[in-house]
Amino acid sequence: METFSHDLHSLFNQLGMNSSKESIEGFIRDHNLKQNETLAQADFWQPAQRRFLKESIAEDADWCEVIDQLDALLRK
C-alpha cells in the first residue's frame, strides 16, 4: 500500500507550483481570499489548478484537509 504525504509542500507540487518554504510563505503573504470566495474561485489559479481544487473538494479526496488548511491561511 502506498502512503502519500498531504501537506502544503506536496499540495504546491501537485498544483505545479514552487514548493519551497519561502515560495509557499510568499504565496500566502501575497494572496488572500475575499469573505465569501471559495479557494477554487480565486482568480490567481490557472484553469487546471482550479479544476484540481474543485474536484478534490467535491470528491472529498485525500487532499481535502490540506486544501482546507491553505484556504484558512489565505483568509487574513
Side-chain angles (χ1 to χ4, degrees), residues 13-75:
N13 277 334
Q14 182 70 24
L15 292 168
M17 300 170 66
N18 186 329
S19 62
S20 71
K21 180 181 178 187
E22 296 79 17
S23 292
I24 293 171
E25 289 172 352
F27 182 87
I28 292 167
R29 181 184 58 247
D30 296 341
H31 296 85
N32 61 61
L33 297 173
K34 297 175 186 93
Q35 183 176 348
N36 295 319
E37 183 178 44
T38 67
L39 182 63
Q41 290 173 327
D43 62 2
F44 46 79
W45 299 119
Q46 298 296 318
Q49 293 169 323
R50 182 174 287 112
R51 189 170 38 256
F52 171 78
L53 293 167
K54 282 182 181 179
E55 290 174 1
S56 294
I57 293 166
E59 297 171 4
D60 196 26
D62 291 343
W63 291 103
C64 281
E65 188 173 323
V66 72
I67 289 171
D68 288 344
Q69 179 185 3
L70 180 58
D71 183 287
L73 290 168
L74 294 175
R75 295 190 184 277

